[in-house]
Amino acid sequence: MSATATQQEQDRTHLRRALELAERGRGRVSPNPLVGAVIARGGEVVGEGWHAELGSDHAEVAAIADAAARGADLDGTTMFVTLEPCAHHGRTPPCTDAILATGIARVVIASEDPSEKASGRGPGMLRDDGREVDFAQGAEASAARLLNQAFRKHSRTGLPLVTLKMASSLDGKVATRAGDSKWISGEQSRGLVHRWRAESDAVAVGIGTALADDALLTARDVEPPAARQPARVVFDTHARLPLDSKLVRSVGDAPLIVLTGPEAPTGRVDALKAAGAEVRALSLLSPSAALRELGDRGITSLFLEGGPTLAGSFLDAGEIDELRLFVAPVLIGGAGASPIAAGLGAERVELAERALAMSTEPSGEDVLIRARMKEW
C-alpha cells in the first residue's frame, strides 16, 4: 500500500473513532451539536475527547487535555474532528484558539458547521496560521452530517427536526375500530421509545392522544439515565387538557407546553397556567406555526408521538424529517381501524412523500423501519 493510501486509511479510521466518541454526548448536549475528536501521530492515537455535557469542554479541548494527561507531544500531530472547530465565545472559549495554542499541524474535519456565527471561521483561522486543514469526503463525511441533523436544521431554518414515531400492525393500523392500541408494539420497542425521548428536546402529542392515553411522556428506565426530561408538548386548540391529567400533575418533573388556538376559553387557559403549564396561543395552530414557536424557544428536536390526526397534519404540511415505524406481527383489519396518518394525504402516488433512505432492523418481535425523509 502506498504512503498516500496508508494515510487515507488512517484518516478514515481516526474519523470513524471520532464519530463513535461524538455519540457519547447524545441526549446531553443539546442545543449544541454532537462532536468527537481524535489526535494522532500516524496510526497512533495520542488523545481523544468528546462534548460530554452542555457547558463542558468541547471535543477538541477535551482531546487536547487527554493528550496532555498522557504526556503526549502534540508537535506535528493531526486532529480529526467531526465538526469544524468553533471560533466564537459561547458557554466555553473558542476551540480554534485551543488548537492554535498547540503544535497540531493538521486538522481533518468531517463536516462543516452551518450556523451563521461559526461557518468557515475556524478553518480560516487555522489556515491563516499555517495549519493544514482538510475536509473529509465519502462515508465519514456523510455520517458526520447525519449525526447532527437536528443541529443543522435548526441552524439553517430556526426549526426543530421532526421525527415521527408510530407503531402499526402488518396491515398499517395503529388502533382497532374501537380505539384500542395497547399494546401493538412489544416491550423492547417501547423501551427504545423511552431512549428516544431522552435524546429529544421535546415530545409532542395531540389532545386526542393525550385524552385517550393519559401518558406521562417522560423518559424512564433508560441507561445511562436521562440528562434531562424532554419538554412535553400538547396540540390543544381549545385547551381541553384536564387539570388532573398525568401531564399536568407532573409539571414539576418535566416542562409542559400547551399550544392552543385563539378561541381557547380564557378560564381553561388560566387554569392550566395556574397549574404550572406554559400555554402559548397561536393565531393558527398549524404544524408550521408550532415548529416556529418551538424553534424560537431553542428546541432543536421534536419527537412526534401523536396519533393519526397529528401525524396526518404534519405529513400534509411536509414537516416530517424522519419516520420510525414499528411493525408488529399482528393483523387488525377493519375499515374503521385507525391508519398511520390521517389528514388529506397525497392525491396521486407520484405526489406522495418519498423517503431518501430506509433501513430495517429487528426490535424484539417487531420490525423497526427507519425512513429519512429529508437531509439537512
Side-chain angles (χ1 to χ4, degrees), residues 99-102 104 123-132:
I99 297 171
L100 291 173
T102 73
I104 293 172
M125 291 172 61
L126 292 169
R127 289 191 180 105
D128 289 346
D129 194 66
R131 316 299 173 102
E132 181 182 352

Side-chain angles (χ1 to χ4, degrees), residues 154-179:
H154 192 264
S155 295
R156 289 177 165 174
T157 68
L159 305 177
L161 189 82
V162 178
T163 299
L164 171 64
K165 182 276 300 181
M166 299 294 282
S168 83
S169 61
L170 290 169
D171 51 337
K173 307 298 185 181
V174 300
T176 68
R177 68 178 187 277

Side-chain angles (χ1 to χ4, degrees), residues 100-121:
L100 291 173
T102 73
I104 293 172
R106 176 174 177 246
V107 179
V108 179
I109 301 168
S111 66
E112 85 288 0
D113 185 334
S115 58
E116 184 177 353
K117 62 186 177 182
S119 185
R121 292 182 59 200

